[in-house]
Amino acid sequence: MPKPFASSADLKGKKETLNVVAKGVYALTAEGDPNVGAIEGEDFVVCIEARATPSAARDWLKQLREHTDKPVKFLVLTHYHAVRVLGASAFGAQNIISSVATRKLIEERGKQDWDSEFGRMPRLFKDPETIPGLTWPTMTFDNKLLIELGGDRGTVALQSCGRGHTAGDIVAWHGKSKTLFAGDLVEAHAALYTGDAFHMDWSSRTLDQVKALRAESLIGGRGDVAIGASACDAAVEQTREFLLGMIEHVGAVHRKNGPLKDAFDATHAALAPKFGHWPIFEHCLPFNVQRLWDELDGKDWPRIWTMARDREVWAQLQS
C-alpha cells in the first residue's frame, strides 16, 4: 500500500512545551514540529522564527506573553522555508532580519516553497487565509549582526556558519547564557530535511563552526532542547551522522551509476534503524536523497521544489 504523501496524513496536534532555558530566554517545542524562541532585552524582545501562519504565531505569542509583555523589536528568520516565515505579520516586529542569501531565496522561490510546504505539511498551516503574502525581511546582513539587549542582558549575535540546510542559514547566539538557536542546521532527536541543502559543506566546516561556539543550551529547528555542553555536542554530531550516512550510501550507488531508487533504498535501510522513528524521517528522505543525488551530479544550486515535482519524486522513491 502506498505511503501517504509526505506529512499529509499527520493531522494529530502536538503537545507544546514552553522551556525557560535561562533568564529571559525561551524556547517552544512541540514533539518534532518546528521550534520557535525568544530572548528578552531590557525593554524589548527578540523573537526567533515566525511559524507557518499568523494564527499559529499568535498561539505561540500568547504563551510568551505569560512571561513578558515587552514589544517585539526584532524577528529573526534563520532561513526562508515557509513554515518558518509566513506567520511574521503576527509579531508586529519593528524589524524582520534575515541573511542576504535568505532574501534572495525568497525572491527566487518563496512562492513555490509556500505551495510545496502547504501540500507536504498542511497541519502546520493553521488558518492559512490569515497569511497576507510572502514575508520580506526589512534588515539583511552577510556574515554577522549584533543586537545589543541593554542593561546586563548581553547581546544576540546573528551569524552565518556557512552553507548547510539552505544557502542562507543563520544562527542566533546569546553569549551571556551560552544559548544557541541553531535553526535547522542542527536537530536533536528529529530527522533532517535536506532538500535544499549543501551536504558536503554542512557535514564538515559548517557544523564545525556551530560546534565551535561551545553552546551549553541548544535549540535546533525541531526536536528537544539540548541542555549541557555534552548534549549540545551530541545534537551536532547526531546531525553530522545523519548527513554522513546519506553521503556514504547515496554516494556508493551514484559511483556505480546505479538508479536513484537504489540509492534511496540503501539509504533508508542504513538510516532507519537509528533515525526512522524520529519525526518527519519518512516525509523527508525522498527529497533528501534527490537533492544529494543532484549535488553528486554537479548541481551546486538546489533545484526549486514545486508541488508537481514533490509528487513526482515521492511516487518514484517512496510509493
Side-chain angles (χ1 to χ4, degrees):
M1 182 176 178
K3 294 178 180 177
F5 173 69
S7 292
S8 61
D10 177 11
L11 301 177
K12 183 180 178 182
K14 308 298 183 185
K15 179 184 177 182
E16 296 182 349
T17 302
L18 181 59
N19 303 265
V20 181
V21 179
K23 180 184 177 182
V25 181
Y26 310 98
L28 188 74
T29 61
E31 299 183 308
D33 277 0
N35 296 334
V36 291
I39 302 171
E40 282 189 64
E42 186 72 4
D43 55 9
F44 62 87
V45 175
V46 179
C47 282
I48 299 152
E49 312 290 33
R51 288 192 150 182
T53 69
S55 182
R58 282 191 286 270
D59 290 342
W60 148 232
L61 287 168
K62 183 178 179 181
Q63 296 186 60
L64 179 63
R65 289 312 180 203
E66 295 176 3
H67 295 267
T68 176
D69 61 359
K70 297 171 186 175
V72 179
K73 187 173 183 180
F74 301 100
L75 173 61
V76 176
L77 308 176
T78 66
H79 59 288
Y80 84 96
H81 285 149
V83 295
R84 305 291 183 180
V85 306
L86 292 179
S89 63
F91 291 81
Q94 293 182 34
N95 302 280
I96 301 174
I97 306 176
S98 79
S99 68
V100 170
T102 286
R103 183 180 176 87
K104 290 178 179 177
L105 286 163
I106 294 169
E107 292 172 353
E108 179 190 56
R109 60 185 68 196
K111 184 58 170 70
Q112 294 96 322
D113 181 71
W114 177 353
D115 294 340
S116 170
E117 294 201 22
F118 183 76
R120 293 185 191 182
M121 298 172 281
R123 180 178 53 78
L124 297 182
F125 287 79
K126 180 183 178 182
D127 302 325
E129 69 279 1
T130 64
I131 302 170
L134 291 174
T135 295
W136 296 102
T138 61
M139 295 175 60
T140 59
F141 66 97
D142 280 313
N143 296 310
K144 192 168 185 176
L145 177 69
L146 286 180
I147 298 174
E148 297 287 344
L149 295 175
D152 64 350
R153 293 180 178 269
T155 63
V156 176
L158 307 177
Q159 62 190 76
S160 168
C161 292
R163 302 193 306 180
H165 176 70
T166 72
D169 299 298
I170 59 173
V171 302
W173 170 243
H174 184 233
K176 184 176 177 65
S177 65
K178 297 188 184 304
T179 299
L180 181 66
F181 288 87
D184 278 324
L185 283 175
V186 179
E187 312 288 9
H189 304 113
L192 306 185
Y193 174 65
T194 72
D196 295 312
F198 299 82
H199 291 78
M200 274 56 81
D201 288 2
W202 187 0
S203 62
S204 55
R205 53 183 172 268
T206 298
L207 282 180
D208 289 345
Q209 287 200 42
V210 172
K211 193 173 183 180
L213 291 168
R214 307 308 305 155
E216 295 183 7
S217 301
L218 188 152
I219 300 91
R222 295 174 182 259
D224 303 332
V225 176
I227 301 295
S230 61
C232 295
D233 285 350
V236 172
E237 293 308 322
Q238 168 212 300
T239 303
R240 196 191 312 267
E241 181 182 356
F242 192 106
L243 292 166
L244 292 177
M246 286 187 58
I247 291 168
E248 175 185 355
H249 295 285
V250 175
V253 176
H254 190 271
R255 286 191 295 273
K256 296 176 183 177
N257 295 313
L260 179 65
K261 183 65 165 68
D262 284 1
F264 173 80
D265 290 341
T267 305
H268 190 286
L271 297 187
K274 180 167 183 177
F275 303 107
H277 64 288
W278 286 352
I280 69 170
F281 177 81
E282 295 292 346
H283 166 165
C284 293
L285 199 63
F287 311 118
N288 296 353
V289 170
Q290 177 65 75
R291 167 55 187 156
L292 178 52
W293 190 268
D294 286 352
E295 276 193 285
L296 296 171
D297 276 344
K299 296 181 177 72
D300 180 68
W301 195 247
R303 288 192 281 165
I304 295 174
W305 291 102
T306 64
M307 288 193 292
R309 184 168 175 244
D310 289 350
R311 297 281 180 170
E312 177 186 342
V313 170
W314 185 269
Q316 181 182 0
L317 299 183
Q318 190 68 295
S319 297

